[in-house]
Amino acid sequence: MGERGETRREVLRSVFGWGILSWIISTIKQLFGIQDSNETTQPNSNPQRTDQEPPDGPNEESEELEDETEEQEEEDSEPAKPENGAIVFVYDDGPMTDYTQALPAHEEFDVPATTGIVSEWVGRTDYMGTEELDELVDAGWEIASHTKEHRPLAAFSLVTDIHPTDTEVSAKGYRQGHHEGSTVEISDGETKVTREVAGLGGAPGERRIALTEPVGESFSAEDTEIRHPAETMHEALGDSKDTLEEMGYDVSTLLAPYDAYSGYSDLFVPEYYDGVANARHGSRINDPTEYDPYETKRDYFIEFTTETAVKQDLDEIAEEALLGVVGAHTVKKKVTEESIGQMLEWIEEREIEVLTLREAISIYADESETATGHH
């Protein structure tokens, strides 16, 4: 009888597999209260239903629990979105007044800021050196690049047509950035001419670009842009980042000089930086659900604005949990420790969180479907 019982078990095992066979035998034993010779438990007074489904494979349940745990850990590791919105301060150029006026105001409220540093200006008269920058970093500030020599990164459209004999050109939105001795590229997509800059031309206020020699080609204003050539763009962006990092600073964001940024800039900037503080100048408010760090909107909070306009923006940021990015030139007479402190007081009253640009990107950029398009 024992041999015949073992034979039946072998047949059933070959048909159903050991896991399901064990479950069938266990279920039958529990149904009839049968015990193995080494068991001492009482017969089961509440037998299981025989129509119950067999259990899942031995690892399926544990795999599901593991997946749920991993998802929970990912959610827990994501930075929390500020309930009343957030705001980023990005100061321009790295003057000593960032240290003497902006830093004390931010320290009073125990909040950080981001300062855009022109790498070749570090340590110059009236500009912060590494000692001051170190103190900013110790206070939680972020050091951002403001390029190597404060050159504009955008491409500027022509205002008027160019003739071959012209030694001056006028570009829409151009503001001082093409320094004497630098090189500009004039291109309509088919023809490209490179010329050296002699300085500013035209009547005062016209901001025409004077060249050291005639253009030599005709260009239509409708189709032509003036910009720095690729080599100059890489130097302005890459050398600045390298120099600041050699000084010991973690540099991952950029402040564009003259608030000038364009699609041409996007061809180079993402290679070096995770975001741009003022790629879209003229608004202080960014929608977190559409936030692309290479399209960050920034505007000033003391210069070129009013108290009423600033407060309206802060109300909107707090009520709708938006991201604000504001800037200032601390060398301006209106930008004082007191005026910065007043802004920080309004922010505190609305319980808006103050972040660095790097922190804001880490919190909000992953929500954007467009941000990845730059990489």
Side-chain angles (χ1 to χ4, degrees):
M1 179 69 179
E3 293 180 0
R4 292 168 63 187
E6 288 299 322
T7 301
R8 292 194 192 98
R9 289 193 182 190
E10 292 296 332
V11 172
L12 290 171
R13 187 185 307 173
S14 65
V15 174
F16 295 104
W18 179 249
I20 295 178
L21 176 60
S22 299
W23 175 82
I24 293 173
I25 295 171
S26 175
T27 301
I28 294 173
K29 287 182 177 181
Q30 291 179 27
L31 180 63
F32 293 100
I34 300 173
Q35 295 177 321
D36 290 336
S37 58
N38 60 343
E39 292 178 346
T40 57
T41 55
Q42 296 298 320
N44 188 357
S45 59
N46 187 22
Q48 292 183 336
R49 292 173 50 188
T50 56
D51 62 348
Q52 184 176 346
E53 292 293 326
D56 293 332
N59 295 323
E60 191 169 319
E61 185 174 351
S62 62
E63 288 176 356
E64 289 178 359
L65 290 173
E66 186 177 335
D67 290 342
E68 291 175 3
T69 302
E70 288 178 357
E71 290 176 5
Q72 186 62 47
E73 288 177 351
E74 288 178 3
E75 291 177 3
D76 293 342
S77 64
E78 291 179 357
K81 310 295 187 296
E83 292 183 3
N84 295 319
I87 199 158
V88 175
F89 286 78
V90 185
Y91 294 103
D92 291 63
D93 305 331
M96 189 62 73
T97 44
D98 279 9
Y99 175 75
T100 59
Q101 297 185 56
L103 176 60
H106 281 259
E107 284 186 317
E108 182 179 348
F109 288 84
D110 192 26
V111 294
T114 298
T115 180
I117 302 298
V118 182
S119 56
E120 286 204 349
W121 296 358
V122 175
R124 286 187 181 181
T125 302
D126 298 328
Y127 286 87
M128 292 183 290
T130 55
E131 184 177 345
E132 290 79 22
L133 294 177
D134 287 346
E135 289 195 39
L136 293 183
V137 171
D138 289 342
W141 285 45
E142 175 191 3
I143 306 300
S145 168
H146 201 26
T147 73
K148 179 183 178 181
E149 300 172 305
H150 204 267
R151 296 178 188 263
L153 303 172
F156 301 92
S157 301
L158 284 185
V159 174
T160 58
D161 295 344
I162 292 178
H163 302 286
T165 57
D166 287 345
T167 56
E168 291 185 359
V169 295
S170 183
K172 183 179 181 181
Y174 167 73
R175 294 192 294 153
Q176 305 181 348
H178 295 297
H179 302 230
E180 183 177 348
S182 64
T183 301
V184 290
E185 186 176 86
I186 303 169
S187 175
D188 61 5
E190 295 181 0
T191 304
K192 182 168 62 176
V193 172
T194 301
R195 291 290 182 266
E196 184 179 329
V197 175
L200 285 175
E206 284 187 352
R207 301 186 186 279
R208 292 173 66 83
I209 305 171
L211 306 175
T212 58
E213 59 181 303
V215 175
E217 297 281 351
S218 295
F219 289 95
S220 167
E222 185 178 352
D223 306 315
T224 306
E225 292 182 331
I226 301 174
R227 62 210 186 191
H228 283 304
E231 182 181 355
T232 303
M233 294 290 284
H234 284 295
E235 179 183 343
L237 297 165
D239 286 9
S240 174
K241 180 180 174 69
D242 290 344
T243 299
L244 292 171
E245 290 185 338
E246 286 170 3
M247 293 178 184
Y249 308 114
D250 180 12
V251 179
S252 61
T253 60
L254 175 75
L255 176 64
Y258 306 102
D259 297 309
Y261 198 85
S262 69
Y264 182 68
S265 316
D266 261 337
L267 298 177
F268 306 94
V269 171
E271 181 178 340
Y272 301 96
Y273 301 98
D274 295 335
V276 185
N278 57 339
R280 298 290 180 270
H281 183 65
S283 173
R284 288 177 279 261
I285 298 178
N286 296 268
D287 183 348
T289 63
E290 301 176 351
Y291 179 60
D292 184 334
Y294 297 98
E295 295 183 357
T296 304
K297 299 175 183 177
R298 185 193 77 150
D299 206 350
Y300 300 111
F301 68 97
I302 297 175
E303 312 150 70
F304 318 113
T305 189
T306 66
E307 178 179 322
T308 299
V310 171
K311 285 185 174 180
Q312 286 176 345
D313 282 355
L314 292 178
D315 287 339
E316 185 176 350
I317 290 168
E319 290 168 5
E320 300 184 30
L322 304 175
L323 170 63
V325 182
V326 298
H329 295 84
T330 57
V331 294
K332 301 286 188 180
K333 290 183 178 180
K334 292 176 63 176
V335 184
T336 63
E337 181 179 343
E338 291 72 25
S339 61
I340 296 171
Q342 180 66 78
M343 175 69 164
L344 289 166
E345 188 174 309
W346 297 337
I347 289 170
E348 185 177 69
E349 290 170 354
R350 292 162 175 78
E351 297 183 344
I352 299 171
E353 188 168 343
V354 180
L355 305 169
T356 64
L357 180 60
R358 180 190 294 117
E359 290 170 338
I361 290 172
S362 71
I363 291 173
Y364 294 108
D366 287 343
E367 289 191 354
S368 169
E369 295 180 359
T370 57
T372 55
H374 287 90
H375 294 285

